[in-house]
Amino acid sequence: MNLDPASILSVAASEPPFESDAADFARALVCGLRAVPKRVPCKYLYDAAGSALFERICDLPEYYPTRTELGLLEHHAGEIARHIGDDAELVEFGAGSGVKVRLLLDALARPRAYVPIDISGPHVRAAAGRLAADYPGLAVRPVVADYTRPLQLPAVAGEARRRVGFFPGSTIGNFAPDEAVRFLLMASRVLKGGGLLVGVDLVKDPAVLHAAYNDAAGVTAAFNRNVLDRANRELDADFDLDRFAHYAFYHPLAQRIEMHLVSLDRQHIHVAGERFVFAAGEALHTEDSYKYTVDGFRALAVRAGFVPAAVWSDPQQRFSLHWLESL
Ligand code: AVJ
């Protein structure tokens, strides 16, 4: 296995604030609870428990994005591989389970290197280890970094002809459009001479969107409430999970799902030694998930200097995969 610990780059480790530990969560939550309306950055939904719940969401009958994107990757792998080209270095923004990137690697001719970037060291090292074991010819070089911040990457692998980014899952939908442009500007800079393959959820019948974020089994509700449970575990908070309702809805003009936790009664909460009051009906905003039209997303990519070169979507127009070139 060609996973040399010395090659694991910790780009932002010395640079405060590296937002992954309890101190950063405490700071962000306290700041968000003082704000009006109350909010918490959605990245704190994804601790080990939250990530496990999200994996279960991906298998729900109502949650179409994961299986639709997998279908697109499977169905168009050959054509996607022709756009990416031979001897590419693949950079993944966020270390996934590996299922999606394997579809890509299997279709590519001589992929030379795989660079997963993730804020969680254990996560990215686990993903890298699994891949390195199964792809002997591939140089696997995990990077521990927050890709929402200015990013430095190791030099492109010697044998690689170009660097190509992979950002699946419509994770880009968690950014507000202006933040998405900022992310894409960073990406187009680090991917010059190559391109970006990005998965984007599409605007559609609000009833379909509503069901995807309000599943019958209540897994999304548990995923949402987990951020309170995490605060109880890590920050000595005293949220009573039964007194917060999962509330997710589609805002058609803003083209986004908003996810909230709504206080069922008037209550006082303590977090990291500070007291907060929730009025009955007051919300804590936990996540946005923006949806795009195909043309709307291409226009966003153009603002960031990309050249939209190809797009694939399913017959029902639920999800899209965009190939963007960075010249
Ligand atoms: C991981 C951001 C793509 O927005 O659909 C799923 C997260 N939240 N159900 C999404 C999520 C509630 C998911 N992303």
Side-chain angles (χ1 to χ4, degrees), residues 28-40 256 258 260-261 277-278 281-286:
L29 183 59
V30 164
C31 174
L33 287 170
R34 288 176 187 154
V36 181
K38 293 177 168 58
R39 55 181 151 75
V40 61
R256 65 175 179 237
E258 288 189 21
H260 299 263
L261 289 161
V277 59
F278 275 85
E282 190 174 357
L284 173 66
H285 185 185
T286 52

PDB file of all heavy atoms in Angstrom, residues 28-40 256 258 260-261 277-278 281-286:
ATOM      1  N   ALA A  28     -18.766  28.497  17.702  1.00  0.00           N
ATOM      2  CA  ALA A  28     -19.747  28.676  16.628  1.00  0.00           C
ATOM      3  C   ALA A  28     -21.180  28.581  17.163  1.00  0.00           C
ATOM      4  O   ALA A  28     -22.047  29.373  16.765  1.00  0.00           O
ATOM      5  CB  ALA A  28     -19.520  27.636  15.538  1.00  0.00           C
ATOM      6  N   LEU A  29     -21.421  27.637  18.054  1.00  0.00           N
ATOM      7  CA  LEU A  29     -22.784  27.458  18.555  1.00  0.00           C
ATOM      8  C   LEU A  29     -23.190  28.625  19.457  1.00  0.00           C
ATOM      9  O   LEU A  29     -24.297  29.161  19.335  1.00  0.00           O
ATOM     10  CB  LEU A  29     -22.920  26.120  19.300  1.00  0.00           C
ATOM     11  CG  LEU A  29     -24.327  25.792  19.803  1.00  0.00           C
ATOM     12  CD1 LEU A  29     -25.340  25.733  18.661  1.00  0.00           C
ATOM     13  CD2 LEU A  29     -24.349  24.473  20.589  1.00  0.00           C
ATOM     14  N   VAL A  30     -22.293  29.021  20.362  1.00  0.00           N
ATOM     15  CA  VAL A  30     -22.599  30.145  21.252  1.00  0.00           C
ATOM     16  C   VAL A  30     -22.869  31.401  20.426  1.00  0.00           C
ATOM     17  O   VAL A  30     -23.843  32.134  20.653  1.00  0.00           O
ATOM     18  CB  VAL A  30     -21.460  30.357  22.279  1.00  0.00           C
ATOM     19  CG1 VAL A  30     -21.556  31.723  22.942  1.00  0.00           C
ATOM     20  CG2 VAL A  30     -21.485  29.236  23.331  1.00  0.00           C
ATOM     21  N   CYS A  31     -22.019  31.644  19.425  1.00  0.00           N
ATOM     22  CA  CYS A  31     -22.200  32.804  18.546  1.00  0.00           C
ATOM     23  C   CYS A  31     -23.544  32.721  17.818  1.00  0.00           C
ATOM     24  O   CYS A  31     -24.287  33.703  17.732  1.00  0.00           O
ATOM     25  CB  CYS A  31     -21.024  32.847  17.568  1.00  0.00           C
ATOM     26  SG  CYS A  31     -21.177  34.106  16.318  1.00  0.00           S
ATOM     27  N   GLY A  32     -23.877  31.521  17.326  1.00  0.00           N
ATOM     28  CA  GLY A  32     -25.131  31.343  16.587  1.00  0.00           C
ATOM     29  C   GLY A  32     -26.367  31.437  17.468  1.00  0.00           C
ATOM     30  O   GLY A  32     -27.437  31.830  17.003  1.00  0.00           O
ATOM     31  N   LEU A  33     -26.238  31.068  18.740  1.00  0.00           N
ATOM     32  CA  LEU A  33     -27.382  31.146  19.654  1.00  0.00           C
ATOM     33  C   LEU A  33     -27.619  32.579  20.132  1.00  0.00           C
ATOM     34  O   LEU A  33     -28.724  32.929  20.537  1.00  0.00           O
ATOM     35  CB  LEU A  33     -27.166  30.219  20.862  1.00  0.00           C
ATOM     36  CG  LEU A  33     -27.305  28.722  20.580  1.00  0.00           C
ATOM     37  CD1 LEU A  33     -26.845  27.894  21.772  1.00  0.00           C
ATOM     38  CD2 LEU A  33     -28.745  28.351  20.201  1.00  0.00           C
ATOM     39  N   ARG A  34     -26.565  33.410  20.079  1.00  0.00           N
ATOM     40  CA  ARG A  34     -26.734  34.829  20.419  1.00  0.00           C
ATOM     41  C   ARG A  34     -27.378  35.591  19.269  1.00  0.00           C
ATOM     42  O   ARG A  34     -27.905  36.679  19.464  1.00  0.00           O
ATOM     43  CB  ARG A  34     -25.368  35.470  20.708  1.00  0.00           C
ATOM     44  CG  ARG A  34     -24.734  35.050  22.027  1.00  0.00           C
ATOM     45  CD  ARG A  34     -23.352  35.679  22.151  1.00  0.00           C
ATOM     46  NE  ARG A  34     -22.630  35.193  23.307  1.00  0.00           N
ATOM     47  CZ  ARG A  34     -21.306  35.171  23.400  1.00  0.00           C
ATOM     48  NH1 ARG A  34     -20.552  35.610  22.387  1.00  0.00           N
ATOM     49  NH2 ARG A  34     -20.722  34.721  24.484  1.00  0.00           N
ATOM     50  N   ALA A  35     -27.298  35.048  18.063  1.00  0.00           N
ATOM     51  CA  ALA A  35     -27.771  35.753  16.865  1.00  0.00           C
ATOM     52  C   ALA A  35     -29.293  35.678  16.756  1.00  0.00           C
ATOM     53  O   ALA A  35     -29.948  34.860  17.392  1.00  0.00           O
ATOM     54  CB  ALA A  35     -27.133  35.143  15.619  1.00  0.00           C
ATOM     55  N   VAL A  36     -29.846  36.574  15.960  1.00  0.00           N
ATOM     56  CA  VAL A  36     -31.275  36.556  15.654  1.00  0.00           C
ATOM     57  C   VAL A  36     -31.430  36.554  14.134  1.00  0.00           C
ATOM     58  O   VAL A  36     -30.939  37.471  13.479  1.00  0.00           O
ATOM     59  CB  VAL A  36     -32.001  37.803  16.234  1.00  0.00           C
ATOM     60  CG1 VAL A  36     -33.494  37.724  15.923  1.00  0.00           C
ATOM     61  CG2 VAL A  36     -31.758  37.933  17.727  1.00  0.00           C
ATOM     62  N   PRO A  37     -32.059  35.582  13.516  1.00  0.00           N
ATOM     63  CA  PRO A  37     -32.508  34.327  14.139  1.00  0.00           C
ATOM     64  C   PRO A  37     -31.336  33.414  14.493  1.00  0.00           C
ATOM     65  O   PRO A  37     -30.240  33.571  13.970  1.00  0.00           O
ATOM     66  CB  PRO A  37     -33.387  33.700  13.038  1.00  0.00           C
ATOM     67  CG  PRO A  37     -32.912  34.287  11.753  1.00  0.00           C
ATOM     68  CD  PRO A  37     -32.356  35.644  12.066  1.00  0.00           C
ATOM     69  N   LYS A  38     -31.598  32.457  15.384  1.00  0.00           N
ATOM     70  CA  LYS A  38     -30.547  31.559  15.853  1.00  0.00           C
ATOM     71  C   LYS A  38     -30.113  30.604  14.733  1.00  0.00           C
ATOM     72  O   LYS A  38     -30.927  30.179  13.924  1.00  0.00           O
ATOM     73  CB  LYS A  38     -31.055  30.745  17.059  1.00  0.00           C
ATOM     74  CG  LYS A  38     -31.316  31.588  18.312  1.00  0.00           C
ATOM     75  CD  LYS A  38     -31.882  30.723  19.417  1.00  0.00           C
ATOM     76  CE  LYS A  38     -31.899  31.392  20.784  1.00  0.00           C
ATOM     77  NZ  LYS A  38     -32.655  32.653  20.848  1.00  0.00           N
ATOM     78  N   ARG A  39     -28.821  30.288  14.717  1.00  0.00           N
ATOM     79  CA  ARG A  39     -28.293  29.406  13.652  1.00  0.00           C
ATOM     80  C   ARG A  39     -27.059  28.677  14.144  1.00  0.00           C
ATOM     81  O   ARG A  39     -26.439  29.077  15.132  1.00  0.00           O
ATOM     82  CB  ARG A  39     -27.916  30.246  12.426  1.00  0.00           C
ATOM     83  CG  ARG A  39     -26.940  31.369  12.769  1.00  0.00           C
ATOM     84  CD  ARG A  39     -26.611  32.209  11.537  1.00  0.00           C
ATOM     85  NE  ARG A  39     -26.280  33.593  11.864  1.00  0.00           N
ATOM     86  CZ  ARG A  39     -25.130  34.021  12.397  1.00  0.00           C
ATOM     87  NH1 ARG A  39     -24.184  33.153  12.707  1.00  0.00           N
ATOM     88  NH2 ARG A  39     -24.920  35.291  12.639  1.00  0.00           N
ATOM     89  N   VAL A  40     -26.710  27.610  13.441  1.00  0.00           N
ATOM     90  CA  VAL A  40     -25.448  26.911  13.685  1.00  0.00           C
ATOM     91  C   VAL A  40     -24.931  26.444  12.321  1.00  0.00           C
ATOM     92  O   VAL A  40     -25.719  25.981  11.482  1.00  0.00           O
ATOM     93  CB  VAL A  40     -25.639  25.745  14.697  1.00  0.00           C
ATOM     94  CG1 VAL A  40     -26.612  24.685  14.192  1.00  0.00           C
ATOM     95  CG2 VAL A  40     -24.302  25.098  15.055  1.00  0.00           C
ATOM     96  N   ARG A 256     -34.107  26.872  -2.274  1.00  0.00           N
ATOM     97  CA  ARG A 256     -33.358  26.102  -1.286  1.00  0.00           C
ATOM     98  C   ARG A 256     -34.293  25.398  -0.306  1.00  0.00           C
ATOM     99  O   ARG A 256     -35.393  25.887  -0.007  1.00  0.00           O
ATOM    100  CB  ARG A 256     -32.400  27.007  -0.499  1.00  0.00           C
ATOM    101  CG  ARG A 256     -33.123  28.021   0.347  1.00  0.00           C
ATOM    102  CD  ARG A 256     -32.184  28.852   1.237  1.00  0.00           C
ATOM    103  NE  ARG A 256     -32.973  29.807   2.000  1.00  0.00           N
ATOM    104  CZ  ARG A 256     -32.811  31.133   1.994  1.00  0.00           C
ATOM    105  NH1 ARG A 256     -31.850  31.675   1.273  1.00  0.00           N
ATOM    106  NH2 ARG A 256     -33.590  31.904   2.698  1.00  0.00           N
ATOM    107  N   GLU A 258     -34.611  24.695   3.511  1.00  0.00           N
ATOM    108  CA  GLU A 258     -34.104  25.204   4.793  1.00  0.00           C
ATOM    109  C   GLU A 258     -34.433  24.161   5.851  1.00  0.00           C
ATOM    110  O   GLU A 258     -35.547  23.653   5.897  1.00  0.00           O
ATOM    111  CB  GLU A 258     -34.790  26.520   5.173  1.00  0.00           C
ATOM    112  CG  GLU A 258     -34.359  27.683   4.342  1.00  0.00           C
ATOM    113  CD  GLU A 258     -34.899  29.011   4.881  1.00  0.00           C
ATOM    114  OE1 GLU A 258     -35.257  29.094   6.089  1.00  0.00           O
ATOM    115  OE2 GLU A 258     -34.976  29.950   4.080  1.00  0.00           O
ATOM    116  N   HIS A 260     -34.512  23.448   9.962  1.00  0.00           N
ATOM    117  CA  HIS A 260     -34.534  24.120  11.263  1.00  0.00           C
ATOM    118  C   HIS A 260     -34.870  23.129  12.371  1.00  0.00           C
ATOM    119  O   HIS A 260     -35.421  22.056  12.107  1.00  0.00           O
ATOM    120  CB  HIS A 260     -35.617  25.219  11.275  1.00  0.00           C
ATOM    121  CG  HIS A 260     -35.412  26.301  10.262  1.00  0.00           C
ATOM    122  ND1 HIS A 260     -34.815  27.505  10.567  1.00  0.00           N
ATOM    123  CD2 HIS A 260     -35.714  26.360   8.944  1.00  0.00           C
ATOM    124  CE1 HIS A 260     -34.770  28.268   9.471  1.00  0.00           C
ATOM    125  NE2 HIS A 260     -35.309  27.595   8.468  1.00  0.00           N
ATOM    126  N   LEU A 261     -34.592  23.540  13.608  1.00  0.00           N
ATOM    127  CA  LEU A 261     -35.114  22.860  14.792  1.00  0.00           C
ATOM    128  C   LEU A 261     -35.955  23.893  15.518  1.00  0.00           C
ATOM    129  O   LEU A 261     -35.455  24.969  15.870  1.00  0.00           O
ATOM    130  CB  LEU A 261     -33.969  22.354  15.668  1.00  0.00           C
ATOM    131  CG  LEU A 261     -33.201  21.175  15.060  1.00  0.00           C
ATOM    132  CD1 LEU A 261     -31.829  21.018  15.705  1.00  0.00           C
ATOM    133  CD2 LEU A 261     -34.015  19.879  15.181  1.00  0.00           C
ATOM    134  N   VAL A 277     -32.342  31.679  25.853  1.00  0.00           N
ATOM    135  CA  VAL A 277     -33.777  31.428  25.925  1.00  0.00           C
ATOM    136  C   VAL A 277     -34.321  31.176  24.518  1.00  0.00           C
ATOM    137  O   VAL A 277     -33.937  31.845  23.550  1.00  0.00           O
ATOM    138  CB  VAL A 277     -34.517  32.592  26.634  1.00  0.00           C
ATOM    139  CG1 VAL A 277     -34.302  33.915  25.914  1.00  0.00           C
ATOM    140  CG2 VAL A 277     -36.001  32.292  26.772  1.00  0.00           C
ATOM    141  N   PHE A 278     -35.159  30.153  24.420  1.00  0.00           N
ATOM    142  CA  PHE A 278     -35.931  29.892  23.203  1.00  0.00           C
ATOM    143  C   PHE A 278     -37.387  30.223  23.512  1.00  0.00           C
ATOM    144  O   PHE A 278     -37.947  29.682  24.468  1.00  0.00           O
ATOM    145  CB  PHE A 278     -35.849  28.416  22.791  1.00  0.00           C
ATOM    146  CG  PHE A 278     -34.643  28.067  21.956  1.00  0.00           C
ATOM    147  CD1 PHE A 278     -33.439  27.761  22.570  1.00  0.00           C
ATOM    148  CD2 PHE A 278     -34.720  28.023  20.570  1.00  0.00           C
ATOM    149  CE1 PHE A 278     -32.323  27.422  21.808  1.00  0.00           C
ATOM    150  CE2 PHE A 278     -33.604  27.687  19.798  1.00  0.00           C
ATOM    151  CZ  PHE A 278     -32.403  27.397  20.402  1.00  0.00           C
ATOM    152  N   GLY A 281     -41.844  28.170  19.586  1.00  0.00           N
ATOM    153  CA  GLY A 281     -41.886  28.394  18.131  1.00  0.00           C
ATOM    154  C   GLY A 281     -40.620  28.995  17.556  1.00  0.00           C
ATOM    155  O   GLY A 281     -40.507  29.126  16.332  1.00  0.00           O
ATOM    156  N   GLU A 282     -39.688  29.368  18.408  1.00  0.00           N
ATOM    157  CA  GLU A 282     -38.442  29.952  17.891  1.00  0.00           C
ATOM    158  C   GLU A 282     -37.550  28.858  17.285  1.00  0.00           C
ATOM    159  O   GLU A 282     -37.461  27.750  17.809  1.00  0.00           O
ATOM    160  CB  GLU A 282     -37.681  30.674  19.009  1.00  0.00           C
ATOM    161  CG  GLU A 282     -36.518  31.492  18.465  1.00  0.00           C
ATOM    162  CD  GLU A 282     -35.828  32.329  19.536  1.00  0.00           C
ATOM    163  OE1 GLU A 282     -36.275  32.332  20.709  1.00  0.00           O
ATOM    164  OE2 GLU A 282     -34.808  32.955  19.185  1.00  0.00           O
ATOM    165  N   ALA A 283     -36.879  29.208  16.185  1.00  0.00           N
ATOM    166  CA  ALA A 283     -36.125  28.202  15.417  1.00  0.00           C
ATOM    167  C   ALA A 283     -34.621  28.375  15.562  1.00  0.00           C
ATOM    168  O   ALA A 283     -34.116  29.478  15.755  1.00  0.00           O
ATOM    169  CB  ALA A 283     -36.505  28.289  13.942  1.00  0.00           C
ATOM    170  N   LEU A 284     -33.932  27.258  15.450  1.00  0.00           N
ATOM    171  CA  LEU A 284     -32.483  27.217  15.243  1.00  0.00           C
ATOM    172  C   LEU A 284     -32.281  26.720  13.813  1.00  0.00           C
ATOM    173  O   LEU A 284     -32.694  25.607  13.465  1.00  0.00           O
ATOM    174  CB  LEU A 284     -31.829  26.261  16.256  1.00  0.00           C
ATOM    175  CG  LEU A 284     -30.331  25.988  16.068  1.00  0.00           C
ATOM    176  CD1 LEU A 284     -29.501  27.246  16.300  1.00  0.00           C
ATOM    177  CD2 LEU A 284     -29.875  24.870  17.023  1.00  0.00           C
ATOM    178  N   HIS A 285     -31.667  27.566  12.975  1.00  0.00           N
ATOM    179  CA  HIS A 285     -31.464  27.234  11.557  1.00  0.00           C
ATOM    180  C   HIS A 285     -30.213  26.362  11.444  1.00  0.00           C
ATOM    181  O   HIS A 285     -29.136  26.789  11.843  1.00  0.00           O
ATOM    182  CB  HIS A 285     -31.311  28.553  10.780  1.00  0.00           C
ATOM    183  CG  HIS A 285     -31.221  28.396   9.302  1.00  0.00           C
ATOM    184  ND1 HIS A 285     -30.989  29.471   8.470  1.00  0.00           N
ATOM    185  CD2 HIS A 285     -31.331  27.330   8.498  1.00  0.00           C
ATOM    186  CE1 HIS A 285     -30.963  29.053   7.220  1.00  0.00           C
ATOM    187  NE2 HIS A 285     -31.163  27.754   7.207  1.00  0.00           N
ATOM    188  N   THR A 286     -30.368  25.150  10.911  1.00  0.00           N
ATOM    189  CA  THR A 286     -29.247  24.202  10.917  1.00  0.00           C
ATOM    190  C   THR A 286     -28.619  23.942   9.547  1.00  0.00           C
ATOM    191  O   THR A 286     -27.464  23.526   9.469  1.00  0.00           O
ATOM    192  CB  THR A 286     -29.686  22.847  11.517  1.00  0.00           C
ATOM    193  OG1 THR A 286     -30.866  22.412  10.840  1.00  0.00           O
ATOM    194  CG2 THR A 286     -29.964  22.978  13.003  1.00  0.00           C
TER     195      THR A 286
END
